[in-house]
Amino acid sequence: MIKSIKTTLGLATIIILSTMFITACSSQNPPLEKSGAQLWGENCVRCHNAPSPSAFSDNQWETVAMHMKIRANLNSSETAEIVEFLQMAN
Amino acid sequence: MKYITTLLITICVSVYGQDYSDLLKKIESSKPGDSQFLLRGYAHSGYEKRGEESSFVGGSFNPIFLWRQSDKLLFEAELELELEHGETALALEYANMAYELRDNLTVRVGMFLLPFGTFSERLHPRWINRLPSSPLGFGHDPIGPMRDMGIELRGNTKLGSRSLSYSLYSTNGPSLNDGEDHDLSEDEAGMLNYLNFEDNNSNKAIGGRLGIFPLASPALELGFSGQIAEVGNHETEYENTAANLYALDMSYVNNIIFLKGVVDLKGQLNQINVDDESYFSDEDSSSYSFLNQSQASYLQASFRPAYVRNSFVKNLEIVGRYSQIETPEGALWESNQSQYVVGLNYWLDWRTVLKIAYQVNESSAAGGHVEEDEHGDEGGDNAILIHWAFGF
């Protein structure tokens, strides 16, 4: 069990150091507004393949997006951008 | 001729005018309104060869009911219907109501998937899980909570170009099998039961998850989850027995241009610590105790050459996963197993996949506990798994 605790602490250390390293190396420029298409491409694939805009109707996208907003911890403005893109591309 | 033309125009205007009016009525009646109902879900089926035995399996079906009451209020529920040991089993996976308090803050009440790591909350559906099986310790007999009843606050916040997701919840929490409940297996004394839908004590579990996106894009997510709870049954000697649980998870999904494809890395580590207690063994009428710590983890990598020109190759995906489970030494449910799986997927579309995998199980110590697969079968043998999964 000591081995398990050491493994856990080791993993935690790696994750924390990686976070610090990546954050330090990342650009410090102010955030740019992302388009709905970009947010769709970046966020959906975190868990599953990005859906085709034609997979649901415009009305259905509103419900699907609300469901995913909660599940994926997105904020309202990001979700609105994604819905707008999907409805436009549908 | 002139008269005939005039007559035809008159008839057309009359007929089409009527149609136009009907059409307008139809459009008016089909306006979506504020409430919207949507049935989603997923299904799967397949063939498995475990050791010398083989069988067609699955046929499971998980309908998800979504009721969008308004822009701020959503009800979600999922059922699981599956064949288990020759009978149809029906289970409620979750049922909860979510209300958006602010742009980046939502409250959920009811039974919900717990943000304890990401596998149970986001990755377990068959069409999302890249392999036909769940990692050891993340299936039907998990090391760590998957769902519970309670209340949760969740959302995200921006830190410059980075973002942070958060959730904080209070639930009934797990209950301890103290070996004295005749409905539970005495051999599993010291084990936590996570389906504690009628709380076994007055204490409520407190937990949460912090997800950090250290890059400007959400390609990389690092998560830290924790939960503390008193788990012993009310008015027993175990009443003050506590458990602390934590999980670390990571996800990296990105397009790799020079490989012309998408790389997907996922991992999670669950650690469960329960206060040490003595349990009674009926077999030799003696007490025994052990260091009650359990752990399960997995690491998965997949690659899909989504940007090559060949339409067949671009839908292929290769996957590999290592998982392990370790339960307390000295417990009657002591176990130490590991598993390697390699798989090849073919995506028929973005939510329909055919999966073929070869699974190798290794066990260096097993007392009474053997990790079961999704169908409740002991998963000790090496296996060939062929599944299709379908999301809708």
Side-chain angles (χ1 to χ4, degrees):
Chain A
M1 202 48 70
I2 291 171
K3 187 185 157 197
S4 301
I5 294 167
K6 280 182 179 172
T7 309
T8 307
L9 289 174
L11 273 170
T13 309
I14 290 168
I15 288 172
I16 291 164
L17 288 176
S18 305
T19 308
M20 290 167 67
F21 175 75
I22 291 165
T23 307
C25 293
S26 300
S27 164
Q28 298 300 311
N29 295 332
L32 297 170
E33 287 296 319
K34 290 183 179 177
S35 68
Q38 191 177 358
L39 289 166
W40 161 80
E42 287 180 352
N43 284 289
C44 302
V45 296
R46 283 162 47 198
C47 299
H48 54 74
N49 296 322
S52 160
S54 62
F56 296 101
S57 70
D58 287 0
N59 290 329
Q60 287 174 333
W61 274 126
E62 290 177 3
T63 306
V64 172
M66 191 172 182
H67 187 219
M68 289 296 101
K69 168 186 178 291
I70 297 164
R71 188 64 61 89
N73 289 68
L74 302 173
N75 63 37
S76 297
S77 52
E78 287 172 332
T79 311
E81 289 281 345
I82 293 171
V83 170
E84 193 180 334
F85 160 72
L86 290 166
Q87 290 176 336
M88 199 169 61
N90 191 1
Chain B
M1 191 64 188
K2 206 175 184 179
Y3 290 111
I4 293 170
T5 307
T6 308
L7 184 63
L8 281 173
I9 289 171
T10 309
I11 291 168
C12 285
V13 167
S14 165
V15 169
Y16 283 99
Q18 185 65 39
D19 281 355
Y20 182 66
S21 169
D22 288 346
L23 192 62
L24 273 179
K25 279 182 187 170
K26 279 183 185 170
I27 290 170
E28 289 291 325
S29 66
S30 64
K31 273 186 176 176
D34 291 333
S35 305
Q36 290 176 24
F37 171 72
L38 188 61
L39 176 66
R40 295 200 64 193
Y42 50 96
H44 92 113
S45 188
Y47 167 85
E48 296 185 353
K49 186 173 189 311
R50 294 175 182 275
E52 297 301 312
E53 295 178 2
S54 69
S55 178
F56 287 101
V57 297
S60 80
F61 162 50
N62 292 54
I64 297 172
F65 304 91
L66 300 174
W67 177 263
R68 185 172 177 266
Q69 186 94 332
S70 69
D71 288 346
K72 293 184 176 295
L73 189 58
L74 180 80
F75 172 80
E76 62 161 1
E78 180 181 329
L79 297 175
E80 182 172 78
L81 293 99
E82 64 179 343
L83 293 168
E84 208 171 77
H85 301 301
E87 292 184 0
T88 304
L90 173 66
L92 179 64
E93 291 287 296
Y94 55 80
N96 64 74
M97 184 179 75
Y99 185 77
E100 186 185 305
L101 296 170
R102 296 181 57 188
D103 177 50
N104 55 1
L105 182 63
T106 300
V107 59
R108 287 205 294 181
V109 183
M111 180 180 170
F112 47 84
L113 296 173
L114 286 179
F116 188 77
T118 52
F119 188 84
S120 60
E121 190 186 42
R122 302 181 193 169
L123 307 174
H124 81 278
R126 307 289 186 160
W127 71 278
I128 294 177
N129 184 2
R130 295 294 200 263
L131 286 165
S133 60
S134 296
L136 289 175
F138 292 82
H140 271 195
D141 202 5
I143 301 294
M146 298 189 78
R147 57 185 190 270
D148 207 344
M149 296 264 232
I151 183 167
E152 180 199 29
L153 287 169
R154 64 188 294 144
N156 80 358
T157 187
K158 296 289 177 194
L159 301 169
S161 60
R162 318 289 185 268
S163 62
L164 191 73
S165 69
Y166 56 85
S167 67
L168 182 66
Y169 60 83
S170 177
T171 60
N172 286 340
S175 63
L176 178 73
N177 179 353
D178 55 21
E180 294 177 4
D181 186 338
H182 299 296
D183 293 335
L184 299 172
S185 171
E186 187 190 302
D187 290 347
E188 293 180 344
M191 190 185 277
L192 293 184
N193 169 28
Y194 299 103
L195 305 179
N196 187 23
F197 299 134
E198 286 181 20
D199 205 351
N200 63 325
N201 57 37
S202 58
N203 179 265
K204 297 289 170 277
I206 302 290
R209 178 178 180 274
L210 207 57
I212 299 166
F213 297 87
L215 304 178
S217 81
L220 177 67
E221 181 179 9
L222 305 171
F224 307 87
S225 311
Q227 186 188 104
I228 51 170
E230 287 185 1
V231 294
N233 293 319
H234 183 52
E235 292 182 344
T236 66
E237 61 179 297
Y238 303 97
E239 192 169 19
N240 296 320
T241 305
N244 62 78
L245 307 85
Y246 63 90
L248 305 173
D249 63 84
M250 65 81 63
S251 169
Y252 178 75
V253 185
N254 211 358
N255 298 326
I256 307 295
I257 302 302
F258 73 94
L259 291 175
K260 296 184 177 178
V262 181
V263 167
D264 188 330
L265 303 174
K266 296 272 191 299
Q268 186 170 327
L269 168 74
N270 290 359
Q271 174 79 36
I272 311 302
N273 303 323
V274 182
D275 287 349
D276 297 339
E277 297 288 356
S278 289
Y279 303 97
F280 186 74
S281 169
D282 271 343
E283 206 167 285
D284 54 6
S285 299
S286 65
S287 291
Y288 66 101
S289 62
F290 50 87
L291 186 63
N292 197 347
Q293 296 183 339
S294 303
Q295 189 188 79
S297 64
Y298 81 93
L299 191 62
Q300 177 180 293
S302 67
F303 174 71
R304 181 178 174 187
Y307 305 113
V308 299
R309 289 190 177 183
N310 186 298
S311 59
F312 178 78
V313 175
K314 72 194 297 181
N315 293 321
L316 290 173
E317 182 177 47
I318 51 170
V319 197
R321 186 185 70 208
Y322 167 77
S323 61
Q324 65 89 28
I325 180 172
E326 192 179 337
T327 55
E329 194 177 343
L332 298 177
W333 42 288
E334 175 187 350
S335 170
N336 190 341
Q337 299 173 65
S338 57
Q339 185 184 80
Y340 300 86
V341 195
V342 289
L344 182 67
N345 300 334
Y346 184 79
W347 289 93
L348 298 167
D349 64 27
W350 67 276
R351 52 188 169 175
T352 309
V353 61
L354 177 68
K355 308 183 225 182
I356 301 171
Y358 184 66
Q359 185 169 287
V360 177
N361 294 301
E362 291 178 354
S363 177
S364 58
H369 177 79
V370 176
E371 175 74 3
E372 293 183 342
D373 65 14
E374 287 80 355
H375 314 291
D377 298 323
E378 291 181 357
D381 290 321
N382 297 345
I384 296 169
L385 314 168
I386 303 172
H387 282 207
W388 69 261
F390 175 80
F392 57 89

